[in-house]
Amino acid sequence: MSPKNTICLWYDGTALEAAQFYAATFPDSAVTAVHGAPGDYPSGKEGDVLTVEFTVMGIPCLGLNGGPMFKHTEAFSFQVATDDQAETDRLWSAIVGNGGEESACGWCKDKWGLSWQITPRALMAAISDPDPAAAKRAFAAMMEMRKIDIATIEAARRG
């Protein structure tokens, strides 16, 4: 039975490649079905991959090869909570090192333009510290970063 709510992500002919990358990179992720177009359509021909069903960390998604008309923007992103620096580094490197690009404060884009927030749990704890001065120091440290460095965040939090 299909889920009641699925995230639909638009691609320009690369939905299967993207889904396979996500499945190989993130835990609890998989490509679950690939569907060919039953007829010609503006961006493809009958039999071309039209949709790809996949999960990203348990979240159901549908990749639609809709063509070049619509691009991903930062208005939508996956936020991935990481447990330590090694996991943060691995995911960041997988995304950025596979044709993606760095952004600020733990954000990056994959080569398809989809935005990701690689967010250590330690960062969230630091910027929500009950001590407002500690939270402010951690937040200020984060604002200077691209990939989050947990040791630097924790040092800023301690003052």
Side-chain angles (χ1 to χ4, degrees), residues 15-68:
L16 180 57
E17 178 188 359
Q20 289 170 333
F21 171 76
Y22 305 144
T25 302
F26 298 99
D28 193 22
S29 301
V31 175
T32 55
V34 178
H35 304 283
D40 292 350
Y41 61 107
S43 295
K45 303 275 185 220
E46 180 177 339
D48 288 352
V49 173
L50 180 61
T51 59
V52 180
E53 296 176 40
F54 60 101
T55 57
V56 176
M57 296 170 288
I59 298 170
C61 298
L62 179 79
L64 170 65
N65 281 328

Side-chain angles (χ1 to χ4, degrees), residues 105 118-128 138-139 142 148 150 153:
C105 305
I118 308 303
T119 309
R121 294 178 196 280
L123 170 65
M124 299 310 292
I127 65 174
S128 60
F139 185 78
M142 176 204 66
I148 302 302
I150 296 171
I153 293 295

